[in-house]
Amino acid sequence: MSDKPVTRRNFLYITTGTFTAAGAASLVWPFVDQMNPDASVKALASTEVDLRPIAPGQSITVLWRGKPVFIRRRTPEEISEAKAVSLDELPDPQDDAARAKNPEWLVMVGICTHLGCIPLGQKGEYNGWFCPCHGSHYDTSGRIRKGPAPTNLEIPDYVFLNDNTIKIG
Amino acid sequence: MSDNYVPKSAVGKWFNERLPLLDLIYGHLMPYPTPKNLNYFWTFGGILTFCLVTQIITGLVLAMHYVADADLAFASVEHIMRDVNYGWLLRYIHANGASLFFMAVYIHMARSMFYGSYKEPRELIWIIGVFIFLLMIATAFMGYVLPWGQMSFWGATVITNLFSAIPIVGESVTNWLWGGYAVGSPLLTRFFTLHYLMPFLIFALVILHVWALHVPGNNNPEGIDVVKGSQDTVPFHPHYVVKDLFALVVFLIIFAGFVFFVPNLLGHTDNYIQANPLQTPEHIVPEWYFLPFYAILRAVPDKLGGVILMVSAIAILAFLPWLDTSKVRSAKYRPLYKQFVWLFFANTIFLGYLGAQVADGMYLIMGRIATVYYFAHFIIILPLLGYIEKTKPLPKSLSEPVLSKEENEIIASGATT
């Protein structure tokens, strides 16, 4: 601290400077935020899907928010395979029941959690999904088992509107 | 510059007295003292300037016909190729120009490494150069997205997803970059804007690069200091203007060879398929000039680790002037460094080869070894060499190595009397 007394001039200098800096900083935000998802993008945030045409062992891919979503009607073997896995074997431990509300229907975002490629269905060492880009293997519950991907395939928010329809988002 | 420019015309005089712009340009292009022994590796500065200007001019006219919208971009590029007068030529010059730009910049950087041009007092020239290289990478990547083919789309997806590796805020950052929840129109439009802006930023940095270069003057193949205006230097014009122009003509022959005979050799056929967000191509590869860095990214089994290592591979270049502890610049006088720097070049090319292969089995293992070697060169070999290497004696002047023993003795005796 200096011995010089605080003058009216010091006060005006500091407050003017602070207000200018705060004002300039607050103006930065609109320029940053304009890049965030806009209202028209957010408006497309939910998708309804009719499940009736899908037979056991079949999958469909729908677009939700510009992302592919896999909807798979799993076979009993796939379900039992997914349930039989011990959580200790998983890099990202998650119970199959936590991933599929209704065990028959597996709904997940079809984007590899590594770098965003689309995994191929019913391929790979665990009979689930395999990402050709950098070799990540997912099991019949979409859980990462081997390869560079850090986490399981993402489960989007969805609800069963009735037995035959789900709403994603 | 020492020789002041005196305009001959009255208008020139009038202008120069009010704004000495002609004086400035003249000083940097005409009398600028340059070491007399620069070889053809020193012509790439001029070639690179030519590349930048070519990209800006062809890019400007392409932008007059291109539409930056996910539904229209692919068709507008085909419209350029088929309908626009000479559109095919302009686009092929722009696309191949980018590749040749990188070829030239890699030779330019390798020259700097071989002859130690980044060392004191030229550190800042090198660092500005690293920033130019970074901007070139960003510009080229964004430019490759614009045609909106399959490789454009999936390249953009993979690279923008690198940001999702950032802990906690990763997802918000990627959504912010995308302006949505996946790669799409908003990203394409902003990439186009930035792709248009960045070459001008590069141009500004090039001016700083040349300005910083003209303070100490050029390094040279002997790597020794030369006294400006001594017998070791010659004026830039006509000596190096003509040498640079000759090299540029040779470069243009190669350039024309690509544009007119194999315009798609360096591209990927999948980019002639329109972007499809529901189908990933079998094998995503970046443009050839990114392959070494791509190989480093894939060498790491961890997502965040891979991203960090790839970014470090470029960032480490900025520290090169301090990682290299040797006071001797040119590899000509550094017997060990000369071998290691060639090994480094070979290793980097090898990484590029691995980047084009499927990352599996042996390729992955070799990729890891080559990645470790890449970093070891910078953080182990270079710092140690400065201490353990016995360098050869440096010549006293640029003339000494090319003159006979007798001639050198005459000069030495002449200097003493």
Side-chain angles (χ1 to χ4, degrees):
Chain A
M1 280 284 143
S2 74
D3 302 331
K4 288 181 188 164
V6 176
T7 62
R8 179 184 147 83
R9 182 166 292 233
N10 291 140
F11 175 78
L12 287 174
Y13 181 73
I14 300 285
T15 44
T16 312
T18 310
F19 268 87
T20 311
S26 65
L27 249 185
V28 170
W29 180 242
F31 289 86
V32 172
D33 193 41
Q34 53 84 21
M35 277 174 68
N36 270 318
D38 63 30
S40 70
V41 172
K42 286 180 179 164
L44 298 171
S46 74
T47 304
E48 284 183 27
V49 185
D50 180 6
L51 300 177
R52 275 171 299 183
I54 312 168
Q58 282 188 332
S59 310
I60 62 163
T61 306
V62 295
L63 265 186
W64 168 67
R65 290 174 156 187
K67 298 179 188 185
V69 170
F70 295 153
I71 301 175
R72 177 158 181 85
R73 189 166 185 180
R74 296 191 293 184
T75 59
E77 298 81 49
E78 287 175 345
I79 298 169
S80 55
E81 204 176 310
K83 287 195 185 300
V85 179
S86 149
L87 291 189
D88 302 337
E89 295 173 36
L90 301 170
D92 180 15
Q94 212 178 5
D95 196 28
D96 185 59
R99 294 181 57 80
K101 288 173 188 172
N102 175 344
E104 195 176 12
W105 295 98
L106 183 63
V107 180
M108 56 190 187
V109 177
I111 294 179
C112 180
T113 55
H114 181 226
L115 291 173
C117 297
I118 297 179
L120 305 170
Q122 288 64 62
K123 288 240 168 74
E125 292 176 20
Y126 297 89
N127 199 24
W129 282 264
F130 170 71
C131 180
C133 291
H134 306 98
S136 294
H137 298 257
Y138 298 90
D139 67 11
T140 56
S141 186
R143 292 173 296 199
I144 180 67
R145 301 296 291 271
K146 187 183 165 188
T151 55
N152 302 333
L153 289 176
E154 187 194 338
I155 305 289
D157 286 329
Y158 65 92
V159 285
F160 279 88
L161 296 177
N162 54 52
D163 283 351
N164 295 321
T165 315
I166 61 164
K167 183 181 166 202
I168 307 168
Chain B
M1 295 300 125
S2 49
D3 305 40
N4 274 340
Y5 175 63
V6 185
K8 291 193 181 70
S9 70
V11 179
K13 276 198 184 100
W14 181 91
F15 186 88
N16 207 46
E17 277 164 14
R18 284 154 184 80
L19 178 70
L21 181 69
L22 300 170
D23 210 353
L24 184 81
I25 295 169
Y26 178 85
H28 283 282
L29 277 182
M30 309 288 275
Y32 170 66
T34 323
K36 64 182 176 185
N37 61 336
L38 300 187
N39 59 32
Y40 275 104
F41 286 108
W42 262 264
T43 60
F44 282 88
I47 288 170
L48 284 162
T49 313
F50 171 84
C51 286
L52 179 61
V53 173
T54 305
Q55 291 305 91
I56 289 178
I57 294 171
T58 50
L60 187 79
V61 292
L62 286 170
M64 294 179 184
H65 305 281
Y66 172 77
V67 186
D69 180 281
D71 294 329
L72 305 170
F74 187 82
S76 79
V77 171
E78 283 311 304
H79 161 73
I80 289 170
M81 293 302 288
R82 292 154 196 249
D83 304 339
V84 175
N85 300 330
Y86 293 103
W88 60 272
L89 178 65
L90 297 167
R91 178 165 173 266
Y92 279 154
I93 292 174
H94 197 72
N96 286 285
S99 270
L100 283 146
F101 203 160
F102 273 93
M103 253 178 231
V105 88
Y106 283 136
I107 295 172
H108 190 66
M109 291 162 79
R111 187 270 300 167
S112 198
M113 287 184 172
F114 189 85
Y115 294 111
S117 300
Y118 49 83
K119 288 187 197 181
E120 200 257 315
R122 298 184 181 83
E123 303 95 321
L124 203 53
I125 309 170
W126 170 260
I127 290 171
I128 295 168
V130 172
F131 278 98
I132 293 173
F133 179 54
L134 266 177
L135 278 177
M136 278 177 66
I137 290 173
T139 311
F141 161 64
M142 291 180 182
Y144 194 59
V145 174
L146 303 185
W148 212 240
Q150 274 289 69
M151 278 298 157
S152 301
F153 184 92
W154 290 100
T157 300
V158 168
I159 300 300
T160 51
N161 261 302
L162 295 178
F163 292 92
S164 70
I166 304 168
I168 303 161
V169 293
E171 200 187 330
S172 321
V173 170
T174 40
N175 285 345
W176 175 73
L177 278 175
W178 292 334
Y181 304 100
V183 171
S185 236
L187 182 85
L188 176 59
T189 313
R190 63 191 57 168
F191 269 19
F192 177 57
T193 312
L194 295 172
H195 181 73
Y196 204 120
L197 166 74
M198 283 183 172
F200 297 98
L201 298 181
I202 293 177
F203 198 86
L205 284 183
V206 167
I207 291 173
L208 296 185
H209 195 62
V210 174
W211 187 6
L213 168 69
H214 285 198
V215 175
N218 291 69
N219 184 31
N220 63 76
E222 304 302 316
I224 59 169
D225 290 324
V226 294
V227 181
K228 279 184 189 177
S230 73
Q231 287 208 330
D232 277 346
T233 65
V234 290
F236 189 72
H237 181 80
H239 296 86
Y240 287 110
V241 169
V242 172
K243 188 164 182 162
D244 278 0
L245 283 176
F246 177 70
L248 182 62
V249 169
V250 175
F251 179 78
L252 279 175
I253 292 171
I254 298 167
F255 198 153
F258 275 108
V259 170
F260 292 106
F261 295 99
V262 279
N264 291 305
L265 181 72
L266 300 169
H268 198 293
T269 43
D270 273 12
N271 226 28
Y272 282 105
I273 304 169
Q274 189 166 1
N276 179 357
L278 291 178
Q279 195 196 1
T280 306
E282 272 291 296
H283 184 192
I284 299 181
V285 273
E287 291 275 85
W288 69 268
Y289 37 83
F290 294 144
L291 288 174
F293 304 109
Y294 192 58
I296 291 174
L297 169 76
R298 296 191 306 181
V300 190
D302 178 74
K303 180 170 162 182
L304 182 60
V307 175
I308 289 173
L309 218 57
M310 183 177 73
V311 174
S312 310
I314 300 166
I316 203 166
L317 292 171
F319 300 94
L320 183 57
W322 295 277
L323 291 170
D324 184 346
T325 50
S326 177
K327 294 273 177 269
V328 176
R329 295 196 191 103
S330 175
K332 262 182 148 175
Y333 299 97
R334 300 185 60 190
L336 286 176
Y337 176 72
K338 191 175 186 173
Q339 295 171 30
F340 279 114
V341 77
W342 279 115
L343 209 56
F344 173 77
F345 295 154
N347 183 63
T348 309
I349 293 167
F350 183 56
L351 272 171
Y353 163 75
L354 293 173
Q357 310 304 317
V358 179
D360 218 2
M362 267 315 281
Y363 288 121
L364 196 58
I365 293 163
M366 288 190 289
R368 286 177 184 160
I369 295 168
T371 300
V372 169
Y373 187 78
Y374 180 94
F375 285 98
H377 177 80
F378 289 107
I379 54 183
I380 300 171
I381 296 169
L382 284 186
L384 282 183
L385 274 188
Y387 297 104
I388 59 174
E389 184 176 48
K390 187 169 169 8
T391 56
K392 294 181 186 167
L394 290 173
K396 290 185 187 65
S397 72
L398 297 184
S399 304
E400 196 190 306
V402 288
L403 294 178
S404 67
K405 203 178 166 194
E406 290 76 28
E407 287 167 323
N408 273 316
E409 275 165 9
I410 293 166
I411 290 172
S413 63
T416 48
T417 50

mmCIF file of all heavy atoms in Angstrom, chain B residues 351-373:
data_model
loop_
_atom_site.group_PDB
_atom_site.id
_atom_site.type_symbol
_atom_site.label_atom_id
_atom_site.label_comp_id
_atom_site.label_asym_id
_atom_site.label_seq_id
_atom_site.Cartn_x
_atom_site.Cartn_y
_atom_site.Cartn_z
ATOM 1 N N LEU B 351 5.175 -42.436 -39.772
ATOM 2 C CA LEU B 351 3.921 -42.177 -39.055
ATOM 3 C C LEU B 351 2.808 -41.840 -40.049
ATOM 4 O O LEU B 351 1.671 -42.272 -39.885
ATOM 5 C CB LEU B 351 4.096 -41.007 -38.082
ATOM 6 C CG LEU B 351 4.589 -41.324 -36.673
ATOM 7 C CD1 LEU B 351 4.904 -40.043 -35.923
ATOM 8 C CD2 LEU B 351 3.568 -42.140 -35.908
ATOM 9 N N GLY B 352 3.155 -41.074 -41.072
ATOM 10 C CA GLY B 352 2.175 -40.732 -42.100
ATOM 11 C C GLY B 352 1.670 -41.975 -42.810
ATOM 12 O O GLY B 352 0.472 -42.124 -43.056
ATOM 13 N N TYR B 353 2.593 -42.906 -43.094
ATOM 14 C CA TYR B 353 2.190 -44.162 -43.732
ATOM 15 C C TYR B 353 1.237 -44.932 -42.805
ATOM 16 O O TYR B 353 0.193 -45.425 -43.235
ATOM 17 C CB TYR B 353 3.436 -45.004 -44.041
ATOM 18 C CG TYR B 353 3.153 -46.457 -44.320
ATOM 19 C CD1 TYR B 353 2.600 -46.852 -45.539
ATOM 20 C CD2 TYR B 353 3.403 -47.429 -43.355
ATOM 21 C CE1 TYR B 353 2.308 -48.184 -45.780
ATOM 22 C CE2 TYR B 353 3.115 -48.757 -43.587
ATOM 23 C CZ TYR B 353 2.566 -49.132 -44.807
ATOM 24 O OH TYR B 353 2.271 -50.456 -45.037
ATOM 25 N N LEU B 354 1.593 -44.988 -41.509
ATOM 26 C CA LEU B 354 0.758 -45.727 -40.552
ATOM 27 C C LEU B 354 -0.612 -45.081 -40.393
ATOM 28 O O LEU B 354 -1.615 -45.767 -40.204
ATOM 29 C CB LEU B 354 1.455 -45.798 -39.187
ATOM 30 C CG LEU B 354 2.730 -46.643 -39.142
ATOM 31 C CD1 LEU B 354 3.406 -46.476 -37.793
ATOM 32 C CD2 LEU B 354 2.409 -48.097 -39.409
ATOM 33 N N GLY B 355 -0.648 -43.741 -40.486
ATOM 34 C CA GLY B 355 -1.921 -43.035 -40.348
ATOM 35 C C GLY B 355 -2.921 -43.428 -41.417
ATOM 36 O O GLY B 355 -4.133 -43.294 -41.236
ATOM 37 N N ALA B 356 -2.418 -43.923 -42.557
ATOM 38 C CA ALA B 356 -3.308 -44.308 -43.650
ATOM 39 C C ALA B 356 -3.772 -45.755 -43.534
ATOM 40 O O ALA B 356 -4.644 -46.188 -44.280
ATOM 41 C CB ALA B 356 -2.600 -44.097 -44.988
ATOM 42 N N GLN B 357 -3.177 -46.518 -42.596
ATOM 43 C CA GLN B 357 -3.546 -47.926 -42.454
ATOM 44 C C GLN B 357 -4.641 -48.097 -41.395
ATOM 45 O O GLN B 357 -4.896 -47.199 -40.613
ATOM 46 C CB GLN B 357 -2.327 -48.759 -42.050
ATOM 47 C CG GLN B 357 -1.106 -48.532 -42.924
ATOM 48 C CD GLN B 357 -1.371 -48.778 -44.387
ATOM 49 O OE1 GLN B 357 -2.022 -49.748 -44.745
ATOM 50 N NE2 GLN B 357 -0.906 -47.876 -45.245
ATOM 51 N N VAL B 358 -5.258 -49.270 -41.392
ATOM 52 C CA VAL B 358 -6.242 -49.570 -40.356
ATOM 53 C C VAL B 358 -5.490 -49.794 -39.040
ATOM 54 O O VAL B 358 -4.520 -50.548 -39.010
ATOM 55 C CB VAL B 358 -7.051 -50.830 -40.721
ATOM 56 C CG1 VAL B 358 -8.055 -51.163 -39.631
ATOM 57 C CG2 VAL B 358 -7.767 -50.623 -42.048
ATOM 58 N N ALA B 359 -5.937 -49.069 -37.994
ATOM 59 C CA ALA B 359 -5.221 -49.147 -36.719
ATOM 60 C C ALA B 359 -5.533 -50.463 -36.020
ATOM 61 O O ALA B 359 -6.489 -50.560 -35.257
ATOM 62 C CB ALA B 359 -5.591 -47.973 -35.824
ATOM 63 N N ASP B 360 -4.734 -51.468 -36.311
ATOM 64 C CA ASP B 360 -4.976 -52.774 -35.718
ATOM 65 C C ASP B 360 -3.674 -53.569 -35.746
ATOM 66 O O ASP B 360 -2.822 -53.339 -36.603
ATOM 67 C CB ASP B 360 -6.068 -53.504 -36.516
ATOM 68 C CG ASP B 360 -6.990 -54.282 -35.586
ATOM 69 O OD1 ASP B 360 -6.781 -54.214 -34.360
ATOM 70 O OD2 ASP B 360 -7.916 -54.944 -36.091
ATOM 71 N N GLY B 361 -3.522 -54.483 -34.816
ATOM 72 C CA GLY B 361 -2.398 -55.417 -34.812
ATOM 73 C C GLY B 361 -1.040 -54.749 -34.900
ATOM 74 O O GLY B 361 -0.731 -53.835 -34.136
ATOM 75 N N MET B 362 -0.232 -55.193 -35.881
ATOM 76 C CA MET B 362 1.136 -54.710 -36.038
ATOM 77 C C MET B 362 1.188 -53.199 -36.286
ATOM 78 O O MET B 362 2.072 -52.511 -35.797
ATOM 79 C CB MET B 362 1.809 -55.444 -37.205
ATOM 80 C CG MET B 362 2.596 -56.684 -36.799
ATOM 81 S SD MET B 362 3.646 -56.428 -35.353
ATOM 82 C CE MET B 362 5.033 -55.586 -36.115
ATOM 83 N N TYR B 363 0.227 -52.703 -37.084
ATOM 84 C CA TYR B 363 0.235 -51.281 -37.414
ATOM 85 C C TYR B 363 0.108 -50.430 -36.152
ATOM 86 O O TYR B 363 0.726 -49.386 -36.015
ATOM 87 C CB TYR B 363 -0.901 -50.938 -38.376
ATOM 88 C CG TYR B 363 -0.661 -51.450 -39.771
ATOM 89 C CD1 TYR B 363 -1.549 -52.335 -40.363
ATOM 90 C CD2 TYR B 363 0.460 -51.046 -40.484
ATOM 91 C CE1 TYR B 363 -1.324 -52.810 -41.647
ATOM 92 C CE2 TYR B 363 0.697 -51.513 -41.764
ATOM 93 C CZ TYR B 363 -0.197 -52.400 -42.346
ATOM 94 O OH TYR B 363 0.035 -52.853 -43.603
ATOM 95 N N LEU B 364 -0.734 -50.912 -35.229
ATOM 96 C CA LEU B 364 -0.941 -50.179 -33.994
ATOM 97 C C LEU B 364 0.335 -50.170 -33.157
ATOM 98 O O LEU B 364 0.733 -49.134 -32.618
ATOM 99 C CB LEU B 364 -2.100 -50.826 -33.220
ATOM 100 C CG LEU B 364 -2.711 -49.991 -32.109
ATOM 101 C CD1 LEU B 364 -3.225 -48.676 -32.643
ATOM 102 C CD2 LEU B 364 -3.842 -50.760 -31.454
ATOM 103 N N ILE B 365 0.991 -51.321 -33.102
ATOM 104 C CA ILE B 365 2.221 -51.428 -32.307
ATOM 105 C C ILE B 365 3.312 -50.533 -32.905
ATOM 106 O O ILE B 365 3.970 -49.765 -32.207
ATOM 107 C CB ILE B 365 2.693 -52.899 -32.228
ATOM 108 C CG1 ILE B 365 1.668 -53.711 -31.424
ATOM 109 C CG2 ILE B 365 4.069 -52.999 -31.574
ATOM 110 C CD1 ILE B 365 1.777 -55.197 -31.606
ATOM 111 N N MET B 366 3.452 -50.604 -34.244
ATOM 112 C CA MET B 366 4.456 -49.759 -34.900
ATOM 113 C C MET B 366 4.113 -48.281 -34.709
ATOM 114 O O MET B 366 4.997 -47.450 -34.518
ATOM 115 C CB MET B 366 4.535 -50.101 -36.383
ATOM 116 C CG MET B 366 5.201 -51.448 -36.626
ATOM 117 S SD MET B 366 5.573 -51.735 -38.372
ATOM 118 C CE MET B 366 3.947 -51.987 -39.049
ATOM 119 N N GLY B 367 2.825 -47.967 -34.736
ATOM 120 C CA GLY B 367 2.378 -46.588 -34.522
ATOM 121 C C GLY B 367 2.795 -46.090 -33.149
ATOM 122 O O GLY B 367 3.208 -44.937 -32.996
ATOM 123 N N ARG B 368 2.694 -46.970 -32.167
ATOM 124 C CA ARG B 368 3.080 -46.571 -30.805
ATOM 125 C C ARG B 368 4.579 -46.340 -30.708
ATOM 126 O O ARG B 368 5.035 -45.371 -30.101
ATOM 127 C CB ARG B 368 2.643 -47.650 -29.810
ATOM 128 C CG ARG B 368 1.150 -47.597 -29.612
ATOM 129 C CD ARG B 368 0.616 -48.662 -28.702
ATOM 130 N NE ARG B 368 -0.840 -48.531 -28.702
ATOM 131 C CZ ARG B 368 -1.680 -49.466 -28.344
ATOM 132 N NH1 ARG B 368 -1.220 -50.625 -27.946
ATOM 133 N NH2 ARG B 368 -2.974 -49.259 -28.379
ATOM 134 N N ILE B 369 5.348 -47.235 -31.330
ATOM 135 C CA ILE B 369 6.811 -47.077 -31.290
ATOM 136 C C ILE B 369 7.203 -45.769 -31.979
ATOM 137 O O ILE B 369 7.982 -44.972 -31.451
ATOM 138 C CB ILE B 369 7.507 -48.285 -31.958
ATOM 139 C CG1 ILE B 369 7.222 -49.550 -31.149
ATOM 140 C CG2 ILE B 369 9.011 -48.051 -32.077
ATOM 141 C CD1 ILE B 369 7.614 -50.835 -31.840
ATOM 142 N N ALA B 370 6.619 -45.520 -33.149
ATOM 143 C CA ALA B 370 6.963 -44.311 -33.906
ATOM 144 C C ALA B 370 6.532 -43.058 -33.149
ATOM 145 O O ALA B 370 7.217 -42.032 -33.193
ATOM 146 C CB ALA B 370 6.318 -44.355 -35.285
ATOM 147 N N THR B 371 5.401 -43.134 -32.439
ATOM 148 C CA THR B 371 4.940 -41.991 -31.645
ATOM 149 C C THR B 371 5.926 -41.702 -30.516
ATOM 150 O O THR B 371 6.304 -40.545 -30.287
ATOM 151 C CB THR B 371 3.542 -42.281 -31.060
ATOM 152 O OG1 THR B 371 2.646 -42.504 -32.134
ATOM 153 C CG2 THR B 371 3.047 -41.119 -30.213
ATOM 154 N N VAL B 372 6.348 -42.758 -29.845
ATOM 155 C CA VAL B 372 7.312 -42.578 -28.756
ATOM 156 C C VAL B 372 8.587 -41.963 -29.309
ATOM 157 O O VAL B 372 9.148 -41.024 -28.738
ATOM 158 C CB VAL B 372 7.610 -43.937 -28.058
ATOM 159 C CG1 VAL B 372 8.806 -43.815 -27.124
ATOM 160 C CG2 VAL B 372 6.381 -44.408 -27.297
ATOM 161 N N TYR B 373 9.031 -42.440 -30.476
ATOM 162 C CA TYR B 373 10.260 -41.894 -31.051
ATOM 163 C C TYR B 373 10.093 -40.423 -31.418
ATOM 164 O O TYR B 373 11.005 -39.609 -31.214
ATOM 165 C CB TYR B 373 10.723 -42.703 -32.271
ATOM 166 C CG TYR B 373 12.074 -42.203 -32.724
ATOM 167 C CD1 TYR B 373 13.231 -42.571 -32.045
ATOM 168 C CD2 TYR B 373 12.187 -41.288 -33.770
ATOM 169 C CE1 TYR B 373 14.461 -42.064 -32.387
ATOM 170 C CE2 TYR B 373 13.415 -40.768 -34.129
ATOM 171 C CZ TYR B 373 14.551 -41.163 -33.437
ATOM 172 O OH TYR B 373 15.760 -40.643 -33.774
#
